[in-house]
Amino acid sequence: MRKGLHISGSNAQLHFGPNMECTIEFKPGPPPYFDSCPMNMPPPHPSMPPPGSPPLPQSPPPGLPPPSVYAYIFGGYTYGSESNLNTQMYSSAERYQLDANTWETLPAPPQDLGYNGCAAAHSGRVYYFGGQTDQTQALSFDPSTNTWATHTNLPNGRFYHQCVVIGDHIYVVGDEPRSATTLKYTPSTDSWTTPASMGTSRHSPAAAALGGKLYVFGGHGTSPLSSAEKYDPDTDTWTAIASMPTHNYYGKAAASGSFIYITGGVICSGCNNGGTQTVLKYDPTADTYTSVASMNGPRELHATGTSPDGRVWVYGGVEDGSAIGQRSIEVYDPAANTWTALSGTMNLPRGYTTGVVL
């Protein structure tokens, strides 16, 4: 097979220019044949990388924060010398940026957040429900525009409860006064429904989602609880799972990898409201608990979450029954089984609080 250009016809001749470009001139003469016709290719378009180069970096959409880890915290309460700050806490939220190791105050929400609400992240927004003596408010914050929005209120007020995202829904469990009722919020329709109730009434449980199931641990009923249960949204049923080794309430939970980590809370027999720095790892496959490295200090009623790299974050909360809010933040690496305290401290000491990590 002959490569190159075949010129046919008695009136066409091929010529090479100074840059080896090919031109055809029509005039009398024999038809030339060439094995190749070298040509200078035009340079790549300025907006395109050369062939074989890695793709150009994509700029984030306008208004979005740069790629990083952000920890949000909402409302809160503290006793002690800084109790005069409670009003500021009720009406404010903060966000921690890992890259800058700094906390910033978010724009004021349309309603006071109070304390002991619950937070969850869904489709790029951060939702906040209830709080302070059974509020029914439902709010969300959009990081891309730095603005708040209001949504359909909860069917009933919630206090000392937890929020967990599974699929297209946000589930709300726990309540003070003690309740077994479960609520389900659908952001796409801004509507609430009531799935099956838990097997045990409880307030202040720890809760997390893993593998499409909702897990709830401990809390307080008529007395401190060690029991735990699992909810299956596909069958709308709750099932008891292994109880924790001890009673625990005011703790929080976060899922990472194949496990759920239950951080802090009040572990008690006599129950003096003293927080713990103990961390339990729950294995849903084996239905067992093991102890892992403890936090740097005791916490209860704190914020928690899991960053995209699988690390578990805890921040804020109170240390013990004196209920003095904390400003510190620390991170757990499951692979190394170590906790690292970060130096950035939040602007207000937020106990009785909640948050999410993105």
Side-chain angles (χ1 to χ4, degrees), residues 47-88:
S47 64
M48 298 296 292
S53 299
L56 293 173
Q58 299 296 311
S59 299
L64 284 177
S68 183
V69 174
Y70 289 83
Y72 290 80
I73 193 165
F74 300 94
Y77 195 90
T78 187
Y79 290 130
S81 60
E82 297 183 285
S83 60
N84 61 318
L85 297 176
N86 284 330
T87 300
Q88 296 179 46

Side-chain angles (χ1 to χ4, degrees), residues 330-356:
E330 55 184 304
V331 180
Y332 175 71
D333 182 346
N337 191 29
T338 56
W339 286 90
T340 301
L342 305 182
S343 59
T345 55
M346 64 188 71
N347 297 307
L348 296 175
R350 298 177 185 269
Y352 296 79
T353 191
T354 187
V356 297

Side-chain angles (χ1 to χ4, degrees), residues 304-316:
T304 190
T306 306
S307 54
D309 61 4
R311 291 184 294 170
V312 176
W313 298 57
V314 295
Y315 47 105

Side-chain angles (χ1 to χ4, degrees), residues 11 18 24 46 54 70 79 83 88 93 103 105 133 150 168 181 197 205 215 229 235-236 254 276 287 291 302 330 350:
N11 294 323
I24 299 174
Y70 289 83
Y79 290 130
S83 60
Q88 296 179 46
W103 288 87
T105 301
T133 50
T150 58
D168 296 329
T181 304
S197 295
Y215 294 83
E229 47 191 311
T235 59
D236 191 28
T276 181
D287 196 21
S291 294
H302 50 286
E330 55 184 304
R350 298 177 185 269

Side-chain angles (χ1 to χ4, degrees), residues 5 14-17 19-24 36-40:
L5 180 64
L14 187 72
H15 297 273
F16 292 104
N19 293 318
M20 297 300 291
E21 71 270 18
C22 294
T23 60
I24 299 174
S36 62
C37 182
M39 297 181 66
N40 283 352

